[in-house]
Amino acid sequence: MPPTFGHLKRYCDKNGWVMVRNTDHWYYEKVLPNGEVLRTRVSHAVAKEIPGHLWKKILKQLRTTEEEFWKGI
């Protein structure tokens, strides 16, 4: 099953990401122990599937694997 933006929002909400802005998208940040700040944004179209090319970029932003993503929701 391809991930949706709803899955991505659930992952962020459950895994230490903090919503910093809610405008055209939900914008999230996560501060790592070394002080580095990770950022991602989530579309409000929660039922929409995330296209494959974008999904690869999002996994890099989240610094996780697809397997760990699914475990995290």
Side-chain angles (χ1 to χ4, degrees), residues 47-58:
K48 185 176 177 184
E49 291 181 0
I50 301 172
H53 69 282
L54 181 57
W55 179 233
K56 290 178 184 177
K57 289 180 182 181
I58 290 169

Side-chain angles (χ1 to χ4, degrees), residues 9-50:
K9 182 170 185 345
R10 186 176 320 137
Y11 177 86
C12 290
D13 289 338
K14 293 178 81 175
N15 290 279
W17 290 77
V18 176
M19 187 187 309
V20 294
R21 189 171 50 174
N22 180 2
T23 55
D24 59 328
H25 289 75
W26 289 295
Y27 291 82
Y28 283 89
E29 291 183 351
K30 183 175 185 176
V31 179
L32 299 180
N34 68 0
E36 185 177 1
V37 179
L38 304 180
R39 293 180 176 88
T40 195
R41 67 182 182 170
V42 181
S43 171
H44 287 164
V46 293
K48 185 176 177 184
E49 291 181 0
I50 301 172

